[in-house]
Amino acid sequence: MRFVRALPVLPVVLLAGCGVASTQFNPGVAAQVGDQTITVKHLDQVTTDYCTALETVTKGQSQQGVQATPMRYFSHEFADALVTKAAAQQLADEYGVEPTPAYKSSLAQLEPQLEDLKESEREAVREVVGAQAYSDDVLTQIGEISLKDQGNDASTADDQLAEGHKLLDEWADDHDVDINPKYGLEFGTEGQVDTDVSYALETTAKGGLSAQPDEKYTASLPSHLVCLD
């Protein structure tokens, strides 16, 4: 597991059946996932610290593959990763599933890449990378249990993970999963989604909704809203 650019390295794992919060969504809450709450303050801090870490590890490297990216792209991906983990944790509790040694080993392999970072930056990287690894780990186990219950004892890891995500979709259908519109995230739809309560009218502003960062849109933003600027 390598600590590299979060976009597009982190895959977008989307759940079907979850609604986007209304315009009355608590502005201090990034997402409400069943009985877990992810705050805007926490997600914003993780995004800021991860960006700083990324700038540190890429300093002095070739500019090839290093692109200035609006912070909203990171917060979108990280919101997705943390929400998915929160849902996966609750589903894992229902199945009595714990992370495997392989998950813990993969996180340990990340540590040498974090030596030059401040502790808050290390924690941000661990949380983001670990969220995806955790979800994949427990959902694969859950999927294996489900497939065995169906009489399938010869499933592959891919089959098990797919089954795990299917069960996570079903879990989401039966639980409250609400996401703050500011993160442009709507489960069931890939990439940035226009969930903002305001509307982008100009071409440059609409660039913030493209699948990959738009150069003109990025250049129009103040530096504190751009990573790797």
Side-chain angles (χ1 to χ4, degrees), residues 129-203:
V129 176
Q132 183 64 63
Y134 174 90
S135 297
D136 286 351
D137 185 275
V138 299
L139 290 178
T140 298
Q141 294 182 69
I142 291 169
E144 182 180 16
I145 292 171
S146 176
L147 291 173
K148 283 186 176 180
D149 287 344
Q150 298 172 45
N152 184 351
D153 294 323
S155 60
T156 66
D158 287 342
D159 293 335
Q160 294 162 7
L161 182 57
E163 177 70 9
H165 279 297
K166 174 187 170 184
L167 294 170
L168 195 61
D169 291 348
E170 295 174 359
W171 181 92
D173 284 336
D174 298 328
H175 296 78
D176 292 328
V177 180
D178 293 314
I179 311 223
N180 193 313
K182 70 176 284 186
Y183 297 107
L185 176 64
E186 181 177 322
F187 290 139
T189 304
E190 292 190 18
Q192 296 277 342
V193 178
D194 189 1
T195 57
D196 287 336
V197 295
S198 59
Y199 296 91
L201 299 179
E202 296 183 1
T203 301

Side-chain angles (χ1 to χ4, degrees), residues 32-221:
Q32 184 67 43
V33 187
D35 60 9
Q36 292 190 35
T37 300
I38 301 170
T39 67
V40 169
K41 181 179 179 180
H42 177 70
L43 186 52
D44 287 354
Q45 190 63 57
V46 168
T47 303
T48 298
D49 288 337
Y50 189 100
C51 175
T52 303
L54 188 59
E55 291 174 337
T56 297
V57 299
T58 58
K59 187 176 181 179
Q61 293 184 6
S62 168
Q63 291 303 303
Q64 183 177 3
V66 178
Q67 178 184 358
T69 303
M71 295 289 278
R72 68 175 292 160
Y73 281 81
F74 287 92
S75 61
H76 165 86
E77 293 288 341
F78 298 168
D80 180 43
L82 298 188
V83 167
T84 300
K85 180 185 178 182
Q89 283 179 316
Q90 294 172 69
L91 183 62
D93 287 342
E94 293 181 9
Y95 275 81
V97 166
E98 296 286 344
T100 65
Y103 158 75
K104 298 174 183 178
S105 176
S106 69
L107 291 188
Q109 295 174 30
L110 183 67
E111 292 303 310
Q113 302 176 60
L114 310 181
E115 292 178 351
D116 296 332
L117 303 179
K118 295 179 180 178
E119 185 55 33
S120 61
E121 297 162 8
R122 295 176 185 175
E123 287 298 325
V125 175
R126 290 178 187 129
E127 182 164 4
V128 170
V129 176
Q132 183 64 63
Y134 174 90
S135 297
D136 286 351
D137 185 275
V138 299
L139 290 178
T140 298
Q141 294 182 69
I142 291 169
E144 182 180 16
I145 292 171
S146 176
L147 291 173
K148 283 186 176 180
D149 287 344
Q150 298 172 45
N152 184 351
D153 294 323
S155 60
T156 66
D158 287 342
D159 293 335
Q160 294 162 7
L161 182 57
E163 177 70 9
H165 279 297
K166 174 187 170 184
L167 294 170
L168 195 61
D169 291 348
E170 295 174 359
W171 181 92
D173 284 336
D174 298 328
H175 296 78
D176 292 328
V177 180
D178 293 314
I179 311 223
N180 193 313
K182 70 176 284 186
Y183 297 107
L185 176 64
E186 181 177 322
F187 290 139
T189 304
E190 292 190 18
Q192 296 277 342
V193 178
D194 189 1
T195 57
D196 287 336
V197 295
S198 59
Y199 296 91
L201 299 179
E202 296 183 1
T203 301
T204 299
K206 290 180 179 179
L209 297 175
S210 60
Q212 297 297 325
D214 178 83
E215 290 185 8
K216 290 184 178 180
Y217 171 72
T218 302
S220 72
L221 299 174

